[in-house]
């Protein structure tokens, strides 16, 4: 709070008015009292209180600052949320020396962990899909209300399950004190018959039974290129070329999308242990964690699919997404399937 500048002498308030305005402002802005409570205390009408508070703002007695941690970009976050109809959009600063071939910045997982702490309620079912960013997120978790945690996809390599999505599920369950339902199986199988047989195994079938109960899910997004898409890296050169010819631009949980968010190469899903796209669309809150310049276009493609409701990303990806033409649509809010 401060006095009035000399340039505003024509609007100068007397000492009694200044003291009263300062006291009312303190009650309202710092102590959280209502205008009615303040009016009763000072023996004036609530309309008088409203006028005094408005005058205090106009004449610089009160200065309101909105501060967020330096790593968060509030302006980009709000613009991105509005553009795509996201429930939540959190944009963090890209690393100062970001490499063009860098994977998702690790701080995305840390911020996503904080976001999950806000979104998950007691009794929820939290679903975690395979992805480097979701693994980083799970490692950063330090608070979750009691909830059940289920794995939504198989693992990149069954031999590294302890260090991957299985461990992420265990970690989240440990933090929350809830049940864990991991999937001990590869994400991609040689053929549909093998995948179908695995889905009927007891432990995997039990995890699949929870898919329709998931209330909050965390997923990763990959571009269709080496090192940026897990599925891309698991396929043969011939298979990669085949799906590329279909126009695949992005991958999420072993589902492939073209630039318009339409699913392509659906036959791949028959060979995968993963949550179906239709089930993902029915999950109330699906948080995607992805960033970096190389993933920016892929993130846009997945947002247009209507499968994602919230996004944690960085400024490099956000700048690209904010210059894209969204054609006035808000796919995340509508949850519309572009194929229908």
């Amino acid at each position: 709070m401060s006095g009035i500048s000399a340039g505003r002498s024509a609007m100068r308030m007397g000492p009694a008015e200044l003291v009263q305005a300062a006291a009312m402002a303190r009650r309202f802005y710092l102590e959280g009292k209502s205008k009615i409570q303040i009016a009763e205390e000072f023996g004036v009408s609530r309309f008088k209180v409203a006028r005094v508070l408005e005058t205090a703002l106009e004449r610089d007695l009160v200065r309101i600052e909105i501060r967020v941690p330096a790593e968060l970009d509030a302006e980009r976050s709000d613009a991105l949320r509005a553009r795509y109809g996201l429930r939540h959009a959190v944009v963090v600063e890209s690393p100062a020396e970001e490499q063009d071939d860098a994977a998702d910045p690790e701080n995305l997982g840390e911020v996503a962990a904080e976001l999950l702490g806000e979104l998950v309620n007691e009794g929820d079912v939290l679903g975690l899909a395979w992805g480097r960013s979701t693994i980083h997120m799970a490692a950063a978790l330090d608070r979750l209300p009691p909830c059940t945690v289920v794995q939504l996809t198989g693992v990149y390599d069954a031999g590294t399950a302890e260090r991957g999505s299985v461990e992420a599920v265990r970690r989240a369950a440990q933090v929350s004190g809830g049940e864990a339902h991991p999937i001990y199986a590869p994400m991609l199988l040689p053929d549909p018959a093998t995948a179908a047989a695995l889905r009927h195994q007891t432990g995997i079938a039990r995890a699949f039974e929870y898919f329709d109960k998931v209330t909050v899910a965390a997923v990763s997004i990959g571009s269709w290129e080496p090192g940026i898409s897990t599925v891309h890296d698991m396929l043969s050169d011939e298979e990669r070329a085949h799906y590329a010819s279909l126009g695949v631009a992005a991958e999420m949980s072993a589902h492939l999308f073209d630039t318009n968010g339409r699913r392509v190469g659906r036959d791949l899903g028959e060979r995968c242990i993963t949550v179906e796209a239709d089930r993902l669309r029915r999950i109330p809150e699906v948080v995607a964690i992805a960033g970096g310049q190389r993933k920016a276009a892929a993130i846009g493609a997945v947002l247009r699919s209507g499968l994602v409701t919230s996004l944690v990303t960085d400024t490099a990806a956000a700048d690209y997404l904010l210059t894209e033409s969204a054609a006035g649509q808000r796919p995340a809010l509508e949850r519309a399937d572009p194929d229908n």
Side-chain angles (χ1 to χ4, degrees), residues 103-190:
D104 296 322
E106 288 193 21
N107 61 340
L108 293 188
E110 296 169 4
V111 173
E114 292 293 327
L115 179 60
L116 278 194
E118 294 181 58
L119 299 181
V120 176
N121 295 307
E122 183 173 352
D124 276 348
V125 177
L126 172 62
L128 300 181
W130 160 267
R132 297 179 185 90
S133 54
T134 53
I135 292 170
H136 290 152
M137 178 203 68
L141 284 171
D142 60 9
R143 64 184 178 97
L144 272 181
C147 65
T148 299
V149 186
V150 60
Q151 194 170 322
L152 296 178
T153 64
V155 299
Y156 175 52
D157 181 349
T160 62
E162 295 300 316
R163 301 189 300 275
S165 43
V166 168
E167 178 57 29
V169 169
R170 286 177 173 169
R171 167 65 182 167
Q174 180 184 34
V175 172
S176 73
E179 295 181 4
H181 295 276
I183 294 178
Y184 293 96
M187 182 189 294
L188 180 66
L189 281 303

Side-chain angles (χ1 to χ4, degrees), residues 248-328:
V248 60
E251 174 262 318
M252 180 183 70
S253 302
H255 300 295
L256 309 182
F257 306 87
D258 66 13
T259 56
N260 294 314
R262 295 187 176 90
R263 290 181 59 209
V264 297
R266 297 186 182 218
D267 60 303
L268 181 65
E270 298 175 5
R271 297 168 49 195
C272 293
I273 303 297
T274 186
V275 60
E276 299 95 327
D278 289 341
R279 278 177 161 171
L280 267 177
R281 198 180 304 280
R282 292 195 296 269
I283 295 174
E285 185 74 75
V286 179
V287 181
I289 313 162
Q293 294 179 13
R294 289 181 65 183
K295 283 193 177 183
I299 296 169
V302 173
L303 290 182
R304 283 186 283 276
S305 75
L307 293 174
V308 169
T309 61
S310 297
L311 175 67
V312 178
T313 190
D314 65 351
T315 51
D319 285 343
Y320 174 89
L321 293 168
L322 289 171
T323 58
E324 268 197 323
S325 173

Side-chain angles (χ1 to χ4, degrees), residues 84-116:
Y84 289 91
L86 293 159
R87 287 204 189 95
H88 306 280
V90 182
V91 178
V92 305
E93 290 290 337
S94 299
E97 298 181 358
E98 182 183 9
Q99 302 296 321
D100 289 341
D101 60 350
D104 296 322
E106 288 193 21
N107 61 340
L108 293 188
E110 296 169 4
V111 173
E114 292 293 327
L115 179 60
L116 278 194

Side-chain angles (χ1 to χ4, degrees), residues 11-149:
M11 298 161 51
R12 182 172 295 145
M13 299 170 70
E17 291 177 306
L18 282 170
V19 170
Q20 185 184 66
M24 288 184 176
R26 182 175 297 279
R27 303 290 193 279
F28 186 72
Y29 292 108
L30 299 183
E31 298 176 11
K33 292 188 176 181
S34 70
K35 293 174 184 176
I36 293 177
Q37 289 174 314
I38 297 170
E40 290 175 352
E41 178 182 347
F42 287 89
V44 298
S45 71
R46 62 187 177 91
F47 302 105
K48 168 70 173 179
V49 174
R51 287 196 299 272
V52 170
L53 293 175
E54 184 178 351
T55 300
L57 284 172
E58 291 175 349
R59 302 189 180 185
D60 287 345
L61 265 72
V62 174
R63 296 177 182 176
I64 298 175
E65 287 186 300
I66 300 174
R67 292 184 176 181
V68 296
E71 67 193 34
L72 300 181
D73 192 309
E75 185 175 350
R76 284 185 176 93
S77 297
D78 188 55
L80 199 58
R81 178 200 57 77
R83 188 177 188 88
Y84 289 91
L86 293 159
R87 287 204 189 95
H88 306 280
V90 182
V91 178
V92 305
E93 290 290 337
S94 299
E97 298 181 358
E98 182 183 9
Q99 302 296 321
D100 289 341
D101 60 350
D104 296 322
E106 288 193 21
N107 61 340
L108 293 188
E110 296 169 4
V111 173
E114 292 293 327
L115 179 60
L116 278 194
E118 294 181 58
L119 299 181
V120 176
N121 295 307
E122 183 173 352
D124 276 348
V125 177
L126 172 62
L128 300 181
W130 160 267
R132 297 179 185 90
S133 54
T134 53
I135 292 170
H136 290 152
M137 178 203 68
L141 284 171
D142 60 9
R143 64 184 178 97
L144 272 181
C147 65
T148 299
V149 186

